[in-house]
């Protein structure tokens, strides 16, 4: 005679369907969300770019012109080609960047910035956006080269941070504890948000892992460690489905 605690959940037809459904979600969800995100971003860029492209150069106009179709003949083709706007945006941005690095382009930019500098409201907006863009997109040699450990939020508890620069000026003078380092402390699971901390350099423990590996560790909430292979970090879809199903069964029987 067995006790209720010795009994294991019986496999039923509905239980098997549930396990297969969960396994399907495990497979479909990452793929579907990735495709949806890319599709949405491409559509957003297209909707921003196409209003600036003359009607004569729109894909629909060019396609009907190539086939000799017209609205009057009733054979007009309506097309919605996603992704061409992204290509136009990339070509336009690369061209502007190439021109901006030349002598003529730099001279024109200096003239334009001087003109904007004489406009009170526009000047503040432009300078703020420019500073943010340079901070985000400019790849300098000192940006987040090292990952580190700092004691946060209290002694004895450690958090992963990214070393930014040496603390300078008034910040260093007011504290008066010696050499300090600016450390960006990311949050989980979104590492783009976080805190800027000014930490005594002697209290920082630099890590050998790369910034990319440290970011993966933060994003995964400690589930993915540097050096682990995909086989060690990812369970088969069937095993994941079984774990989820068993957890649900245990929760229902309690």
């Amino acid at each position: 005679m067995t006790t209720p605690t010795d009994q294991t959940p019986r496999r039923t037809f509905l239980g098997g369907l549930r396990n297969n459904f969960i396994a399907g979600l495990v497979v479909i969800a990452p793929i579907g969300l990735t495709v949806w995100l890319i599709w949405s971003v491409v559509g957003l860029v297209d909707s921003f770019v196409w209003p600036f492209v003359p009607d004569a150069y729109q894909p629909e106009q060019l396609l009907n012109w190539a086939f000799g179709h017209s609205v009057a003949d009733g054979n007009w083709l309506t097309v919605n080609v996603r992704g061409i706007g992204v290509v136009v945006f990339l070509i336009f941005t690369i061209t502007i960047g190439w021109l901006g690095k030349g002598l003529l382009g730099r001279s024109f930019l200096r003239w334009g910035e001087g003109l904007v500098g004489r406009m009170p409201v526009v000047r503040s907006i432009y300078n703020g956006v420019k500073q943010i863009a340079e901070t985000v997109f400019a790849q300098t040699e000192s940006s987040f080269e090292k990952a580190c450990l700092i004691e946060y939020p209290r002694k004895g508890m450690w958090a992963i941070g990214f070393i930014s620069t040496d603390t300078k000026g008034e910040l260093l003078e007011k504290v008066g504890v010696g050499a300090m380092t600016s450390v960006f402390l990311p949050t989980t699971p979104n590492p783009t948000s976080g805190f800027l901390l000014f930490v005594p350099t002697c209290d920082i423990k630099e890590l050998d892992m790369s910034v990319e590996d440290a970011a993966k560790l933060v994003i995964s909430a400690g589930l993915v460690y540097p050096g682990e292979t995909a086989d060690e970090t990812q369970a088969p879809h069937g095993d994941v489905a079984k774990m989820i199903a068993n957890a649900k069964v245990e929760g229902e029987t309690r």
Side-chain angles (χ1 to χ4, degrees):
M1 182 175 181
T2 59
T3 61
T5 56
D6 296 331
Q7 293 179 354
T8 58
R10 294 182 179 179
R11 284 185 171 274
T12 62
F13 177 72
L14 292 179
L17 289 180
R18 179 174 60 180
N19 289 349
N20 292 336
F21 176 74
I22 294 174
L25 286 180
V26 173
V27 175
I28 293 174
I31 299 175
L33 289 176
T34 302
V35 173
W36 173 81
L37 181 60
I38 295 175
W39 184 263
S40 301
V41 171
V42 170
L44 180 63
V45 175
D46 283 353
S47 63
F48 176 78
V49 171
W50 283 127
F52 297 96
V53 178
D55 292 339
Y57 298 100
Q58 298 278 348
E60 185 172 318
Q61 296 284 347
L62 293 175
L63 182 64
N64 284 277
W65 173 80
F67 285 99
H69 296 173
S70 65
V71 178
D73 297 336
N75 54 4
W76 186 265
L77 297 177
T78 302
V79 295
N80 181 16
V81 183
R82 287 208 175 198
I84 298 182
V86 177
V87 175
V88 173
F89 174 75
L90 292 176
I91 295 175
F92 175 77
T93 305
I94 293 172
T95 304
I96 293 298
W98 175 72
L99 293 176
K101 292 191 298 183
L103 178 61
L104 182 61
R106 290 199 302 268
S107 301
F108 180 76
L109 286 176
R110 282 195 295 268
W111 174 81
E113 289 182 347
L115 181 64
V116 171
R118 292 191 288 269
M119 304 177 183
V121 178
V122 178
R123 175 182 58 195
S124 301
I125 298 175
Y126 175 79
N127 290 335
V129 174
K130 180 182 178 183
Q131 186 174 5
I132 294 174
E134 289 177 347
T135 302
V136 173
F137 296 108
Q139 297 181 353
T140 59
E141 296 181 355
S142 59
S143 337
F144 293 160
E145 279 193 349
K146 284 284 187 180
C148 66
L149 282 174
I150 59 173
E151 289 189 286
Y152 183 90
R154 62 171 176 82
K155 289 286 185 180
M157 298 182 65
W158 296 87
I160 289 181
F162 301 120
I163 296 177
S164 178
T165 58
D166 295 332
T167 306
K168 303 174 183 178
E170 182 182 2
L171 295 175
L172 185 62
E173 296 171 0
K174 292 291 185 181
V175 178
V177 296
M180 298 182 67
T181 302
S182 305
V183 177
F184 174 70
L185 184 70
T187 55
T188 300
N190 178 19
T192 59
S193 64
F195 308 95
L196 174 61
L197 305 178
F198 301 99
V199 185
T201 305
C202 60
D203 293 338
I204 296 175
K205 296 185 181 295
E206 293 188 3
L207 298 174
D208 294 331
M209 70 175 68
S210 64
V211 173
E212 290 77 12
D213 288 338
K216 292 177 183 178
L217 186 59
V218 172
I219 295 171
S220 66
L223 297 177
V224 178
Y225 274 80
E228 290 184 339
T229 62
D231 294 337
E232 295 173 332
T233 57
Q234 295 181 1
H237 295 121
D239 295 344
V240 174
K242 290 180 181 178
M243 287 188 292
I244 297 175
N246 292 337
K248 288 186 176 181
V249 171
E250 290 178 0
E252 292 172 356
T253 55
R254 288 178 182 175

